[in-house]
Amino acid sequence: MIFDYETLKLIWWAFVGVLLIGFALTDGFDFGVGMMLPFVGKSDGERRVVINSIGPVWEGNQTWFITAGGATFAAWPLVYATAFSGFYIALMILLFSLFFRPVGFDYRSKVADPRWRNAWDWGLFAGGFVPPLICGVAFGNLLLGVPFHYDDTMRVEYTGSFFALLNPFGLLAGLLSVAMLVNHGATYLQVKTDAMVAERSRKVAMVAAVLSAVLFTAGGFWVAHGISGFRITDMPDANSAFMPLAKTVVTAPGAWMDNYARWPITWVLPAMGVGFALISGLLSLARKPRMAFVSSGLSVTGIILTAGTSLFPFIMPSSLDARSSLTIWDAVSSQKTLGLMFWMVLIFLPLILVYTSWVYRVMRGKVTLKHISDNEHTAY
């Protein structure tokens, strides 16, 4: 084996992070476009322009989400089992909201009745709004701690409820997730569309960019001064296999800021989240959509990496029993499993990136009303 167990644990933490960022950057603008559909498209033609801006790519983008779920199952089986049990209702709502997207894209234009199409437009809105909101709420609750614990036989018990997830900090994190993806989607529409759709998207982007920066800053102060974080005080050798209850964990105010004190360079990440959000808004104001889209993506990346850096090495902290918290050191698969999957990722991830880049290159160019009218039977 080329890497020891500890290094593989770190590598897989990075791999899962890459998959989550890939999901947010690609399917994220799909969600943002879906949320804006009923508002930036005033006529049926304009709404078809909006839909066709993401129609050729959204299915490929969604595979990042599926891959991230599969990687979690393979690399962090305890996290997968605990999260999919504890967050069951929230995840079912997320999955059912996603159903609106494939059905909406395929069925919306089958019937010319305005009532039919308007209903599917709001279905696509729900499919764009609900998943980012739930994902944001989930990440917010990770920073608060999740109400689960392991007993002496390593059976997990979750004592929370769906409505308990909808606490003030969780909702703030959910709104941040929505705002940053609306900004990402709005900058994408500026690149892919023209005329009034692009102009309305530009105005949405400027508001969403400022809102993202404000919500992210407020969340940062809340984490630093209003939330008790988790800290490992003792655990077995990180290069060994051990169960969660073998370590000692304490909670302390401001503990989520430990990594920023340990590695000051990580302050670049929250600076990216705030700075590039504001820069994205300014570039939208200046009518530079491509640069605004890149800046929006960098802001999304900074926000996600900030959350990951704050949590590290925790993946799923427990608010009931700190020892039961799941970390990258104790919630992972065997060394052999991580090693085999590492080589698979090295082979297939570059292929996916090349293929995705090729698809975007082929589908480049603006979607216009003329394009829709010229392709009446092939466009969505």
Side-chain angles (χ1 to χ4, degrees):
M1 184 65 63
I2 190 172
F3 297 115
D4 61 22
Y5 200 12
E6 180 179 2
T7 303
L8 283 171
K9 293 175 182 180
L10 290 168
I11 288 172
W12 273 96
W13 178 80
F15 276 161
V16 173
V18 168
L19 291 172
L20 290 176
I21 291 171
F23 167 58
L25 292 180
T26 56
D27 214 20
F29 67 71
D30 294 338
F31 290 137
V33 169
M35 284 186 271
M36 293 188 296
L37 173 62
F39 308 105
V40 300
K42 299 300 184 181
S43 66
D44 181 65
E46 288 181 345
R47 291 186 178 185
R48 292 189 71 187
V49 166
V50 173
I51 291 171
N52 279 273
S53 71
I54 58 173
V57 298
W58 74 270
E59 286 182 288
N61 293 341
Q62 192 164 275
T63 58
W64 287 92
F65 176 65
I66 298 168
T67 306
T72 302
F73 171 75
W76 299 335
L78 294 182
V79 174
Y80 184 91
T82 305
F84 278 69
S85 298
F87 295 155
Y88 184 79
I89 295 177
L91 288 170
M92 286 299 102
I93 293 174
L94 185 153
L95 290 174
F96 276 106
S97 69
L98 288 175
F99 293 166
F100 285 111
R101 301 212 299 168
V103 180
F105 284 129
D106 287 340
Y107 284 5
R108 181 193 183 276
S109 295
K110 300 292 186 185
V111 179
D113 188 337
R115 292 172 298 178
W116 170 270
R117 294 188 174 185
N118 188 61
W120 283 116
D121 290 340
W122 285 104
L124 290 170
F125 165 82
F129 174 75
V130 174
L133 179 67
I134 288 181
C135 289
V137 169
F139 268 96
N141 278 274
L142 289 181
L143 289 163
L144 294 173
V146 182
F148 74 94
H149 72 278
Y150 285 93
D151 62 21
D152 292 337
T153 62
M154 286 307 297
R155 291 183 299 180
V156 65
E157 181 181 0
Y158 179 84
T159 61
S161 67
F162 170 74
F163 292 103
L165 299 175
L166 305 179
N167 53 73
F169 183 76
L171 290 173
L172 183 145
L175 292 175
L176 169 60
S177 177
V178 168
M180 74 178 188
L181 295 188
V182 166
N183 181 38
H184 200 41
T187 56
Y188 176 80
L189 278 180
Q190 291 177 71
V191 174
K192 290 291 292 183
T193 64
D194 64 359
M196 291 307 299
V197 172
E199 181 61 22
R200 295 186 194 109
S201 300
R202 186 178 74 90
K203 293 177 180 178
V204 170
M206 290 186 289
V207 175
V210 173
L211 187 59
S212 297
V214 170
L215 290 173
F216 183 52
T217 302
F221 276 105
W222 201 334
V223 169
H225 304 291
I227 293 177
S228 291
F230 290 69
R231 183 181 294 148
I232 297 175
T233 58
D234 183 62
M235 72 173 193
D237 183 6
N239 200 37
S240 64
F242 59 94
M243 299 305 289
L245 297 180
K247 64 182 179 299
T248 303
V249 179
V250 299
T251 60
W256 287 137
M257 307 304 293
D258 286 355
N259 290 330
Y260 296 98
R262 188 177 296 115
W263 303 299
I265 187 64
T266 55
W267 281 106
V268 171
L269 303 176
M272 283 178 58
V274 175
F276 280 110
L278 297 175
I279 291 171
S280 175
L282 291 173
L283 290 169
S284 292
L285 177 65
R287 289 183 166 82
K288 297 184 182 297
R290 293 184 182 276
M291 295 175 64
F293 180 66
V294 172
S295 296
S296 172
L298 290 171
S299 174
V300 170
T301 302
I303 289 170
I304 294 174
L305 288 176
T306 297
T309 300
S310 297
L311 282 167
F312 181 86
F314 291 90
I315 306 170
M316 195 171 179
S318 169
S319 59
L320 292 183
D321 175 20
R323 287 192 313 152
S324 296
S325 298
L326 302 176
T327 73
I328 69 168
W329 310 124
D330 53 33
V332 297
S333 295
S334 67
Q335 183 175 3
K336 185 173 184 179
T337 299
L338 296 182
L340 288 173
M341 292 194 302
F342 169 78
W343 293 111
M344 293 176 64
V345 169
L346 284 190
I347 295 170
F348 288 106
L349 185 59
L351 293 176
I352 293 171
L353 292 174
V354 169
Y355 170 74
T356 302
S357 301
W358 177 78
V359 168
Y360 279 101
R361 182 179 183 277
V362 171
M363 299 298 176
R364 70 187 183 279
K366 291 184 179 292
V367 180
T368 64
L369 286 171
K370 184 177 185 303
H371 169 84
I372 299 299
S373 63
D374 291 345
N375 299 272
E376 181 65 31
H377 299 293
T378 56
Y380 288 97

